[in-house]
Amino acid sequence: MDDYKKLTNEVGAPVADNENSITAGPRGPVVMQDVWLMEKMAHFNREVIPERRMHAKGWGAYGKLTVTHDISKYTKAKVLQPGAVTEAFTRFSTVAGERGAADCERDIRGVATKFYTSEGNWDLVGNNTPTFFIRDVHNFSDLNRAVKRDPKTGRRSAQNNWDFWTLLPECFHQITVVMSDRGIPASFRNMHFYGEHTFSLYNEKNERVWCKFHFRTQQGIKNLTNEEAAEINGIDRESHGKDLFETIERGGFPKWTMYIQVMTEEQAINHYENPFDITKIWPHAEYPLIEVGMYELNRNPENYFAEVEQAAFTPAHVVPGIGFSPDRFLQGRLFSYGDAQRYRLGINHNQIPVNRAKVAVNEYHRDGAMRVDGNYGAAPAYTPNSAGFWTAQPEVAEPPMALEGAMWRYDPKDDPTDDCFRAGGNLWRVMTEDKKALLIHNTATDMASVTKNIKYRHAVHALKADPEYGRRLIEALGLCPDKVAELEKLNNNELNRATLSADVD
Ligand code: HEM
């Protein structure tokens, strides 16, 4: 205890004075010999690490997944076997805002979970929405440039945001979700979250099904209006972090019920649209939710930087029994996260305690900056070797995945089954009147500063999704109904061309 109270330098030597610099005479300049002062200043200058390129603002907590149902016919993953209890860590985030952004912004929320399974870490890096804006990796950096800051003004720009969204009609469903009441959750506890992509599961017999992951809140869905959010942000920009921390601190552990949706390989071939397109949903009526278990958050981190800021999740981390799919968007993510973290945290970031697996990690990677785990001592650094060290385990190999078609740059919009507006239209039609009114109000408010051509583009999309949705948006945005009807006859490329100029009216 006494040692705990003693101030030392970075190598444990006692510090004599932490207030008064060593100076040449009582009123003289500081001398180089004040090495403790130099160390202190130098460390401070290097304390900031790069923020995540998106999802920079976030909060985390530890928890556990308890599997209550038997889905072993779909997957052999030990983490998903009946009765399994697995420790986990979840980080919630907003997407567009930087590290200091306010929590109560209209945005989707990221929900990334690391399950420390007995077969290595499984990361499910999802959001609080069942689908995403776009579906090709090429569009991803552009989406973020459009929703983040304008290169000239340095400010966020509704014009850029809506211009980009409306030029890609596949964004329509996600725009509808973000502009709805769900665009500003009341807390992280009051929202569902989803893996979004189509993943795969395979069982002991190596039979594969396609799967989507859903976590449905047991706290009930609660959202905020623009006005409520503005008031909260004016008082406390960290309101969601505070809510999560304080709720867990007083023992009110938030819970979610975990479900999967399953599609057989044969169903996927016969499905009426591309089941691997992340902008499409699998309707629950056709692919019902299958209960898996319960996820609970029950412990706060001890140190924000060590555990939340340094947490590193990647969809590339799967375990036997859980796999990827032909989803081209997912494929792009498999590269991006590890690459970002090698830059953001360094090559050995998986040794940081929050990221470290709870099972033995036996790989042949060696060295690199900040290697702090002993670097495998004298163990061989090459394979194959005759010393009997770490061999591959062919029994965990995934079943082969049949693919078809020539290599090419396919535009999903050329696929005759592609309908960018079905999901958005269906969502509108199941909304109650108060939700519809909010969606229209939020959209008109968000688009207030946007030029008319972009408003026309969005109104055309809404009209294609549902005549009532279109009509009410035309009214709220003050557009000419005849002009929208005329534009609606155009195909996507023609519509985009016809609405390039701000004076479309
Ligand atoms: C091709 C598309 C995408 C790319 C290239 C991409 C890339 C990235 C990158 C580079 C980061 C920062 C990682 C870090 O520094 O640790 C990130 C964070 C994140 N992304 Fe994506 N992303 C994509 C799509 C998605 C989608 C579809 C989802 C949800 C299903 C998602 C959810 C998240 C979440 C939750 C985080 C924050 C993780 C954390 O809390 O540390 N991203 N993304």
Side-chain angles (χ1 to χ4, degrees):
M1 187 59 190
D2 279 354
D3 278 352
Y4 182 72
K5 289 183 182 164
K6 286 181 187 157
L7 178 68
T8 74
N9 69 6
E10 61 191 359
V11 289
V15 170
D17 187 338
N18 196 31
E19 315 290 333
N20 303 298
S21 308
I22 304 175
T23 52
R27 296 190 177 183
V30 171
V31 296
M32 287 292 285
Q33 190 177 317
D34 194 344
V35 288
W36 166 236
L37 177 64
M38 304 304 151
E39 179 187 312
K40 201 171 157 183
M41 289 199 298
H43 194 280
F44 181 72
N45 286 349
R46 289 161 182 80
E47 280 168 5
V48 177
I49 64 169
E51 65 175 36
R52 290 164 178 82
R53 188 66 186 84
M54 64 293 307
H55 295 269
K57 176 73 186 295
W59 304 102
Y62 294 91
K64 64 174 185 207
L65 174 68
T66 306
V67 177
T68 50
H69 289 64
D70 187 354
I71 59 161
S72 58
K73 68 175 172 181
Y74 300 122
T75 179
K76 63 179 182 183
K78 296 215 166 70
V79 56
L80 297 178
Q81 297 311 303
V85 180
T86 303
E87 283 178 47
F89 179 75
T90 291
R91 180 175 176 273
F92 298 95
S93 49
T94 47
V95 180
E98 294 85 3
R99 208 182 255 152
D103 283 349
C104 274
E105 289 189 348
R106 182 169 295 284
D107 196 351
I108 55 177
R109 299 296 184 279
V111 189
T113 301
K114 186 178 291 299
F115 299 98
Y116 304 99
T117 93
S118 59
E119 300 174 289
N121 289 353
W122 170 40
D123 293 354
L124 189 65
V125 195
N127 284 329
N128 69 334
T129 57
T131 62
F132 199 67
F133 290 99
I134 48 174
R135 52 193 172 186
D136 195 290
V137 191
H138 268 294
N139 296 133
F140 187 76
S141 42
D142 301 279
L143 168 70
N144 287 286
R145 298 227 168 83
V147 303
K148 281 177 167 274
R149 289 176 190 270
D150 179 83
K152 180 166 181 183
T153 64
R155 300 199 310 269
R156 300 267 281 276
S157 158
Q159 175 77 8
N160 296 354
N161 196 334
W162 281 96
D163 187 33
F164 177 85
W165 280 353
T166 53
L167 284 166
L168 297 172
E170 61 268 34
C171 293
F172 184 77
H173 176 241
Q174 184 80 330
I175 297 174
T176 302
V177 175
V178 176
M179 289 300 133
S180 78
D181 58 326
R182 296 212 180 177
I184 317 180
S187 81
F188 297 134
R189 297 177 293 123
N190 295 111
M191 59 189 207
H192 302 327
F193 60 93
Y194 309 81
E196 287 193 3
H197 293 279
T198 298
F199 293 90
S200 55
L201 297 176
Y202 49 97
N203 62 16
E204 287 292 354
K205 292 189 222 148
N206 253 11
E207 296 160 334
R208 174 189 287 114
V209 290
W210 307 116
C211 139
K212 284 191 185 274
F213 295 104
H214 299 246
F215 289 75
R216 294 175 72 83
T217 175
Q218 293 187 7
Q219 289 68 240
I221 296 273
K222 278 196 203 130
N223 303 303
L224 300 171
T225 61
N226 285 341
E227 295 71 24
E228 288 166 335
E231 198 183 326
I232 292 171
N233 283 340
I235 300 166
D236 180 2
R237 295 164 63 80
E238 305 354 300
S239 54
H240 284 173
K242 179 170 186 259
D243 174 87
L244 183 69
F245 189 92
E246 291 187 350
T247 306
I248 292 176
E249 217 54 13
R250 60 171 181 265
F253 304 148
K255 296 179 179 59
W256 287 262
T257 312
M258 178 183 176
Y259 298 89
I260 53 170
Q261 280 180 295
V262 164
M263 189 186 276
T264 64
E265 289 181 301
E266 200 186 337
Q267 282 174 316
I269 292 165
N270 298 316
H271 191 61
Y272 50 81
E273 59 190 357
N274 180 2
F276 307 113
D277 178 337
I278 191 173
T279 65
K280 307 282 194 282
I281 52 165
W282 295 1
H284 293 185
E286 295 163 43
Y287 300 95
L289 294 179
I290 300 168
E291 192 165 339
V292 178
M294 197 268 286
Y295 185 56
E296 168 188 282
L297 292 176
N298 53 24
R299 182 163 60 91
N300 281 317
E302 277 298 307
N303 184 283
Y304 180 86
F305 179 85
E307 294 155 83
V308 184
E309 193 60 18
Q310 293 197 112
F313 307 85
T314 165
H317 286 164
V318 288
V319 291
I322 302 172
F324 311 125
S325 82
D327 177 342
R328 55 167 81 182
F329 208 58
L330 173 60
Q331 294 285 328
R333 294 180 73 200
L334 301 181
F335 162 75
S336 186
Y337 289 70
D339 184 56
Q341 290 146 8
R342 285 173 202 116
Y343 159 69
R344 184 167 72 81
L345 300 164
I347 187 66
N348 285 314
H349 61 271
N350 283 311
Q351 290 174 32
I352 298 170
V354 69
N355 299 326
R356 182 143 191 113
K358 306 275 185 222
V359 294
V361 177
N362 296 329
E363 17 89 316
Y364 291 94
H365 307 327
R366 288 294 193 283
D367 310 347
M370 295 303 300
R371 183 95 208 192
V372 293
D373 67 344
N375 205 19
Y376 294 112
Y382 63 89
T383 181
N385 62 62
S386 309
F389 272 79
W390 316 323
T391 50
Q393 302 163 65
E395 66 279 10
V396 303
E398 278 190 54
M401 192 183 290
L403 300 169
E404 62 175 38
M407 190 169 72
W408 181 246
R409 293 186 186 278
Y410 296 95
D411 182 345
K413 290 192 283 301
D414 296 335
D415 176 342
T417 70
D418 185 51
D419 183 342
C420 293
F421 308 110
R422 182 190 288 126
N426 285 342
L427 178 56
W428 168 266
R429 287 183 283 277
V430 298
M431 281 182 177
T432 53
E433 174 48 36
D434 56 328
K435 300 248 160 89
K436 286 180 178 172
L438 255 181
L439 166 61
I440 298 295
H441 168 77
N442 293 339
T443 309
T445 310
D446 216 79
M447 293 192 94
S449 64
V450 169
T451 53
K452 272 231 161 128
N453 52 328
I454 295 172
K455 292 180 179 164
Y456 272 106
R457 229 182 269 150
H458 189 51
V460 170
H461 292 167
L463 201 60
K464 283 178 193 270
D466 185 278
E468 189 204 7
Y469 189 176
R471 183 181 52 72
R472 289 176 64 171
L473 208 52
I474 292 167
E475 234 169 73
L477 295 174
L479 304 177
C480 164
D482 294 340
K483 179 80 192 168
V484 179
E486 193 187 306
L487 290 168
E488 199 208 348
K489 295 188 195 122
L490 305 177
N491 68 29
N492 182 60
N493 288 342
E494 291 165 342
L495 172 66
N496 286 353
R497 269 199 304 276
T499 52
L500 282 181
S501 158
D503 48 46
V504 69
D505 237 357

